[in-house]
Amino acid sequence: MTKTEIHENVQEIFRDVFDEEDLVITDTTNADDIEDWDSLAQVRLTVAIEKKFGIKFDFGELTALHNVGEMLGLIEKKIAG
């Protein structure tokens, strides 16, 4: 799966979780950029991403992420094995 395909899939997950069809994420998007991105939304994002890509995140990995770009990189790394 390419980085573009990963981004497209994650984009759809964000739109579903935040119930905002026009939401556009970039590599620099973070929790400060999306009004409803709270701890519950973070859990919902994490679960949906893990399910979609068949991966599991460690808590430490998630707390080290600062933006969507870092999240996409981590997903790409986990998919590659």
Side-chain angles (χ1 to χ4, degrees):
M1 183 174 286
T2 67
K3 188 166 186 165
T4 300
E5 291 170 327
I6 294 169
H7 183 274
E8 290 170 355
N9 281 288
V10 171
Q11 175 77 67
E12 288 305 314
I13 291 169
F14 268 75
R15 288 177 176 170
D16 288 344
V17 167
F18 294 107
D19 195 28
E20 190 175 327
E21 295 225 2
D22 296 331
L23 179 65
V24 176
I25 58 170
T26 67
D27 284 351
T28 60
T29 300
N30 62 44
D32 294 333
D33 299 325
I34 301 176
E35 184 177 342
D36 295 332
W37 192 342
D38 57 15
S39 57
L40 179 57
Q42 180 65 42
V43 170
R44 292 176 57 212
L45 281 170
T46 301
V47 170
I49 290 169
E50 288 178 334
K51 185 176 180 180
K52 176 69 179 179
F53 295 102
I55 58 176
K56 287 288 183 191
F57 294 112
D58 295 328
F59 181 73
E61 291 173 327
L62 293 175
T63 58
L65 299 176
H66 296 102
N67 56 45
V68 170
E70 291 179 9
M71 180 186 292
L72 295 174
L74 181 58
I75 294 167
E76 188 175 23
K77 180 180 169 186
K78 287 190 167 284
I79 290 172

